Amino acid sequence: MQLEIQKRRQKGYQEMLESLLVFRFGKLDSQLEVILEQIMELPKEDFNRLILQLSHLSREELLARFGVEN
C-alpha cells in the first residue's frame, strides 16, 4: 500500500514538472525530456529549489545546468 502511494505521488510530481516545462518553454522536446528524467532523480530539496527557480531560468541555462548540449 505504501509503495502504491509513493508511486502515485511520484507520477503526480512528474506530471506537474512536465506541465511546468511545457508552460515555460512551449513544448517538451527530446532535450527537455532528458532533463525531466534528471530532475526527477534529484533529492527532494534540490527538486523543490529547481521548481522555484524554473520561472527565472532560460532554456539555455536549464540545459547547461544538466549538461545537455543545445
Side-chain angles (χ1 to χ4, degrees), residues 6-58:
Q6 186 176 359
K7 284 182 182 180
R8 277 190 261 146
R9 183 178 296 140
Q10 187 77 7
K11 178 121 174 89
Y13 289 149
Q14 184 169 345
E15 289 174 355
M16 176 196 64
L17 180 56
E18 286 175 8
S19 294
L20 287 171
L21 290 172
V22 168
F23 181 78
R24 178 77 174 107
F25 302 112
K27 67 176 185 168
L28 196 62
D29 60 18
S30 61
Q31 290 177 321
L32 292 177
E33 286 177 0
V34 168
I35 289 171
L36 173 74
E37 295 301 320
Q38 293 176 0
I39 294 171
M40 292 303 299
E41 294 175 7
L42 291 173
K44 184 178 179 179
E45 295 80 17
D46 294 337
F47 176 89
N48 292 339
R49 187 177 304 111
L50 183 70
I51 295 300
L52 291 172
Q53 295 172 349
L54 191 58
S55 66
H56 302 291
L57 294 174
S58 70

